[in-house]
């Protein structure tokens, strides 16, 4: 019952749907702007409006009715108010209860029962109506019905009592014998079926919800076109935390006890696994000895100060922020350690997380969420603050194709904007010689060069460069090939047909191996030392020399996993002519 009532209140408090009257077939979109809602809670408890009150009077007279009413209004706080307030507050609305006003409540409780209801009375008309015949009113809530009749609202006064879950039809969403369980099943199937068959079935059950909106006294219907996948969970959670007992195959189960023990078991499991992974991670870091790069010249070399940015090869960490020992994680050490070791090119995936925030997520935020993009940029900024002769490149992927403004907000919030470099001029006319030297970037303190693979708009956000206006990439779908046989232009699509344009762009070599675990492709940690070596069939040198032979120049970046394995900095020196 709690779930059925919550369903009705949930959609009513949402205040959005389509309305039509009995005189017109046209649907009219309706959304309320009200922030305060009025609830009739308390009317039935004070004026004997429930069927159980009729039963109590029939069995035990006014004494039995008085006991039943006292039980009802004493448990209003713990049984009704919390549930209703939580559901309505979900839509940022406040609920008021006129029938529970202290003065009104004191007055209503002082009235004799036979004045509040008409049970056992041959006539419920009172003299102030001045009618020749008794009005066709039910005995429940007699006083309220007489007041409505006096005010001219005769149809409302004669309306039969109907609980909200029945008027809204939410109690009819059942499967099998139990309504509580059936409601959950119905909502789950609606979630799975989506906005076609599932929503149509829910609409048929929720026709009465529009009555609660109070827009008109005419018969109305609600057409609730909803993405139910995000609406189902609050219902289920509300029911589970209520602690009510529900009937399942004729056995009463205290759901709160089940949930508590299940949650406790999950929590203990999580703590154990988290602690175990933490120990493994600490052991991995303790056994990982990385030499800190000497801070001389520009990016560790005097020769780089007079070399253009486009004429330097960087070892780049693929999925740099995804750190740890789990199968989907691509690096072993954190961002400051990567930068201290000599990495100057960081690549990362971004997605919107479950809370709507721009995060660093591996394929999906449910798989791996490494935190907010803002926090990631703050770490880089802090490192740049401490290392004034270093230039860092950040390449971000926009997996959810989000607006450029969301990235701009993250950059601004992190405080890293003063360090950003902006390539002035038309990107289509930009050449390799257009790039400044590292010395110039350091002198101007524009030591962060940022790229975005999708959705960049340099007219709106000039410092966040369109990756594929300045780079092209080799294939990454073929990274399960241990020989790295392909150096063709893969992205952007079609650039291979314009070789002169491709010659004026830097290029990125995707050099990381994957493997399959249970049919799922994950980074190949086992063979990282081989693929990150300089020579050999899978080595960086072998792959890079193949690409140099095809395109006549060295790559600007070589993306690798687990950079701390193998000979990545030897490869970087060799490709920059220092071998």
């Amino acid at each position: 019952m709690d779930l059925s009532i919550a369903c009705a209140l949930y959609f009513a408090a949402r205040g959005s749907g389509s309305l039509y009257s009995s005189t017109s077939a046209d649907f009219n979109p309706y959304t309320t702007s009200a922030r305060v809602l009025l609830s009739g809670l308390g009317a039935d408890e004070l004026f004997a409006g429930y069927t159980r009150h009729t039963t109590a009077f029939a069995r035990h007279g006014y004494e039995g009715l008085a006991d039943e009413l006292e039980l009802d209004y004493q448990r209003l706080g713990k049984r009704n108010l919390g549930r209703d307030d939580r559901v309505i507050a979900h839509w940022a609305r406040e609920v008021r209860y006129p029938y529970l006003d202290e003065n009104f409540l004191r007055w209503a409780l002082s009235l004799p029962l036979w004045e509040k209801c008409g049970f056992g009375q041959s006539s419920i008309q009172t003299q102030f109506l001045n009618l020749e015949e008794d009005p066709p009113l039910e005995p429940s809530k007699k006083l309220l019905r007489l007041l409505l009749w006096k005010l001219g609202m005769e149809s409302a006064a004669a309306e039969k009592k109907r609980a909200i879950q029945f008027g809204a039809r939410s109690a009819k969403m059942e499967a099998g014998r139990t309504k509580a369980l059936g409601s959950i099943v119905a909502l789950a199937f609606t979630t799975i079926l989506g906005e076609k068959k599932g929503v149509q079935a829910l609409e048929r059950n929720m026709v009465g919800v529009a009555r609660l909106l109070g827009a008109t006294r005419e018969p109305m219907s609600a057409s609730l076109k909803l993405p139910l996948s995000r609406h189902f969970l609050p219902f289920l959670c509300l029911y589970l935390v209520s602690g009510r007992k529900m009937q399942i195959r004729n056995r009463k189960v205290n759901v709160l006890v089940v949930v508590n023990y299940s949650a406790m078991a999950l929590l203990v499991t999580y703590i154990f696994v988290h602690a175990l992974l933490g120990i493994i991670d600490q052991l991995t870091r303790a056994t990982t000895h990385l030499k800190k790069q000497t801070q001389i010249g520009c990016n560790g070399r005097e020769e780089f100060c007079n070399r253009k940015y486009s004429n330097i090869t960087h070892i780049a960490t693929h999925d740099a922020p995804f750190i740890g020992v789990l199968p989907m994680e691509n690096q072993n050490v954190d961002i400051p350690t990567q930068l201290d070791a000599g990495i100057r090119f960081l690549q990362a995936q971004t997605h919107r997380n479950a809370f709507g925030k721009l995060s660093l997520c591996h394929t999906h935020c449910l798989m791996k969420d490494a935190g907010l993009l803002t926090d990631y940029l703050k770490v880089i900024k802090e490192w740049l603050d401490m290392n004034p002769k270093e230039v860092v490149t950040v390449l971000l992927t926009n997996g959810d194709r989000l607006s450029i403004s969301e990235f701009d907000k993250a950059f601004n919030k992190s405080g890293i904007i003063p360090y950003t470099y902006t390539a002035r001029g038309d990107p289509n006319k930009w050449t390799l010689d257009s790039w400044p030297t590292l010395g110039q970037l350091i002198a101007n303190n524009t030591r962060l060069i940022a790229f975005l693979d999708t959705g960049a708009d340099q007219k709106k956000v000039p410092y966040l460069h369109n990756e594929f206006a300045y780079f092209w990439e080799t294939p990454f779908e073929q990274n399960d090939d241990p020989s790295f046989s392909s150096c063709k232009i893969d992205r952007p699509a079609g650039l291979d047909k314009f070789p002169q344009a491709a010659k004026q762009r830097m290029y990125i070599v995707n050099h990381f191996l994957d493997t399959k675990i249970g049919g799922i492709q994950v980074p190949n940690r086992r063979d990282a030392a081989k693929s990150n070596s300089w020579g050999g069939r899978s080595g960086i040198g072998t792959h890079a020399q193949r690409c140099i032979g095809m395109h006549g120049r060295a790559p600007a970046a070589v993306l690798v996993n687990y950079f701390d394995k193998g000979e990545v900095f030897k490869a970087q020196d060799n490709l920059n002519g220092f071998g």
Side-chain angles (χ1 to χ4, degrees):
M1 183 179 71
D2 281 336
L3 178 61
S4 299
I5 294 173
C7 287
L9 290 175
Y10 184 84
F11 285 107
R14 178 174 180 263
S16 179
S18 299
L19 310 178
Y20 69 90
S21 70
S22 59
T23 60
S24 173
D26 296 332
F27 282 86
N28 297 307
Y30 177 83
T31 301
T32 182
S33 59
R35 309 311 301 173
V36 176
L37 303 182
L38 298 180
S39 169
L41 181 66
D44 291 296
E45 289 80 2
L46 292 173
F47 296 95
Y50 292 123
T51 303
R52 62 177 175 269
H53 298 147
T54 306
T55 303
F57 177 82
R59 291 178 178 176
H60 306 290
Y62 282 116
E63 184 178 353
L65 177 60
D67 291 340
E68 189 69 29
L69 287 174
E70 183 179 6
L71 176 64
D72 277 345
Y73 62 70
Q74 284 187 349
R75 64 186 180 186
L76 273 174
K78 63 181 180 181
R79 183 178 184 182
N80 303 84
L81 291 173
R83 174 200 63 209
D84 296 358
D85 187 62
R86 287 195 298 272
V87 174
I88 294 171
H90 176 81
W91 298 111
R93 305 190 199 281
E94 183 178 345
V95 59
R96 305 282 174 81
Y97 304 96
Y99 286 102
L100 301 183
D101 175 79
E102 289 185 3
N103 293 328
F104 181 82
L105 191 62
R106 189 179 300 109
W107 172 80
L109 291 175
S110 68
L111 292 177
L113 288 179
W114 50 85
E115 289 189 7
K116 295 195 288 186
C117 60
F119 298 130
Q121 302 174 23
S122 58
S123 173
I124 66 169
Q125 178 185 345
T126 57
Q127 294 180 355
F128 73 90
L129 290 180
N130 296 320
L131 299 176
E132 296 180 0
E133 297 180 357
D134 284 340
L137 305 180
E138 291 189 352
S140 61
K141 294 188 287 191
K142 177 187 76 170
L143 188 58
L144 297 181
R145 293 180 184 276
L146 291 173
L147 179 59
L148 287 173
W149 194 281
K150 179 74 173 180
L151 295 173
M153 303 172 66
E154 297 177 0
S155 61
E159 185 80 18
K160 289 186 176 183
K161 161 67 181 176
R162 180 180 293 177
I164 185 173
Q165 65 268 31
F166 297 109
R169 302 296 192 271
S170 56
K172 298 300 182 182
M173 295 187 295
E174 57 181 285
R177 300 180 180 179
T178 62
K179 293 178 181 177
L181 182 59
S183 296
I184 295 175
V185 172
L187 283 168
F189 272 101
T190 307
T191 303
I192 295 169
L193 293 174
E195 292 187 337
K196 295 182 180 179
K197 299 179 181 179
V199 173
Q200 291 170 5
L202 183 61
E203 286 175 17
R204 291 194 294 271
N205 290 314
M206 297 299 290
V207 168
V209 173
R211 291 180 181 272
L212 301 174
L213 300 177
T216 177
R217 292 177 61 188
E218 296 292 330
M220 308 173 77
S221 178
S223 178
L224 305 170
K225 304 295 185 182
L226 300 169
L228 283 171
S229 58
R230 67 186 180 90
H231 290 281
F232 167 63
L233 189 57
F235 293 150
L236 183 57
C237 291
L238 175 73
Y239 190 80
L240 292 180
V241 301
S242 67
R244 293 289 172 202
K245 291 182 179 180
M246 64 180 180
Q247 192 85 6
I248 303 178
R249 294 186 179 179
N250 298 321
R251 291 186 180 181
K252 289 185 177 180
V253 179
N254 192 316
V255 181
L256 186 59
V257 173
V258 174
V259 172
N260 284 343
Y261 277 104
S262 299
M264 188 180 300
L266 288 173
L267 180 61
V268 171
T269 303
Y270 171 80
I271 293 173
F272 175 77
V273 173
H274 188 73
L276 180 61
L277 292 176
I279 293 171
I280 297 174
D281 184 52
Q282 290 300 318
L283 288 174
T284 301
R285 296 188 186 192
T287 56
T288 301
H289 302 288
L290 294 173
K291 182 181 178 181
K292 189 172 181 178
Q293 186 186 65
T294 305
Q295 304 296 305
I296 59 172
C298 303
N299 281 17
R301 284 194 175 272
E302 295 286 355
E303 295 89 342
F304 283 158
C305 293
N306 295 318
R307 189 179 291 193
K308 288 186 178 294
Y309 173 79
S310 55
N311 191 30
I312 297 173
T313 298
H314 299 89
I315 291 295
T317 44
H318 173 240
D319 286 337
F322 306 135
I323 303 154
V325 296
L326 294 177
M328 77 288 293
E329 292 165 333
N330 303 78
Q331 305 298 332
N332 289 321
V333 296
D334 58 19
I335 298 300
T337 305
Q338 293 179 33
L339 293 169
D340 285 343
I343 295 296
R344 297 295 178 267
F345 197 118
L346 305 168
Q347 184 267 347
Q349 301 180 46
T350 66
H351 293 271
R352 179 177 282 147
N353 67 18
F355 301 99
K357 303 294 185 180
L358 188 54
S359 283
L360 302 166
C361 296
H362 197 303
T363 308
H364 192 285
C365 291
L366 292 177
M367 179 182 291
K368 173 70 177 181
D369 188 340
L372 299 180
L373 175 60
T374 300
D375 296 335
Y376 174 69
L377 295 172
K378 285 181 180 178
V379 171
I380 298 172
K381 176 190 176 298
E382 290 172 1
W383 191 88
L384 288 171
D385 291 341
M386 301 297 294
N387 297 274
K389 293 186 177 182
E390 304 300 317
V391 177
V392 175
T393 300
V394 170
L395 171 59
L396 302 173
T397 68
N398 184 3
D400 293 336
R401 299 182 178 274
L402 302 177
S403 168
I404 188 66
S405 62
E406 295 198 38
F407 289 88
D408 188 36
K409 289 178 183 177
F411 272 77
N412 275 284
K413 191 174 181 179
S414 71
I416 206 170
I417 292 290
Y419 283 130
T420 57
Y421 168 78
T422 299
R424 305 291 180 183
D426 185 354
N428 295 319
K429 297 180 180 180
W430 198 265
T431 67
L432 295 176
D433 289 334
S434 300
W435 288 98
T437 64
L438 290 197
Q440 291 170 328
L441 291 169
I442 292 169
N444 294 325
N445 207 25
T446 52
R447 297 183 290 117
L448 181 78
I449 306 180
F451 297 93
L452 185 66
D453 75 332
T454 303
D457 187 339
Q458 291 177 236
K459 292 181 179 179
K460 294 181 179 179
V461 184
Y463 65 84
L464 197 48
H465 305 89
N466 177 2
E467 177 196 357
F468 295 115
Y470 304 94
F471 287 97
W472 54 263
E473 291 189 18
T474 64
F476 66 89
E477 289 91 350
Q478 301 181 24
N479 55 24
D480 57 349
D481 173 13
S483 65
F484 294 103
S485 59
S486 180
C487 284
K488 69 177 183 179
I489 299 174
D490 184 56
R491 293 188 303 164
L495 183 64
D496 56 332
K497 298 177 181 178
F498 301 93
Q500 293 304 315
K503 286 182 179 179
Q504 295 304 323
R505 301 185 193 184
M506 299 175 285
Y507 72 94
I508 297 172
V509 170
N510 287 298
H511 185 84
F512 44 90
L513 286 175
D514 283 349
T515 188
K516 287 187 177 181
I517 299 178
I520 300 175
Q521 196 158 300
V522 297
N524 188 337
R525 189 185 297 264
R526 182 192 62 188
D527 295 327
K530 293 181 181 178
S531 60
N532 289 346
S533 64
W534 167 246
R537 179 168 172 257
S538 301
I540 295 172
T542 305
H543 192 187
Q545 291 299 332
R546 182 180 293 116
C547 296
I548 293 171
M550 180 179 293
H551 302 290
R553 56 194 169 93
V558 179
L559 278 174
V560 301
N561 288 333
Y562 312 115
F563 83 97
D564 54 305
K565 307 297 181 184
E567 303 170 309
V568 297
F569 293 115
K570 176 182 178 180
Q572 181 172 270
D573 286 345
N574 289 343
L575 292 173
N576 283 304
F578 301 115

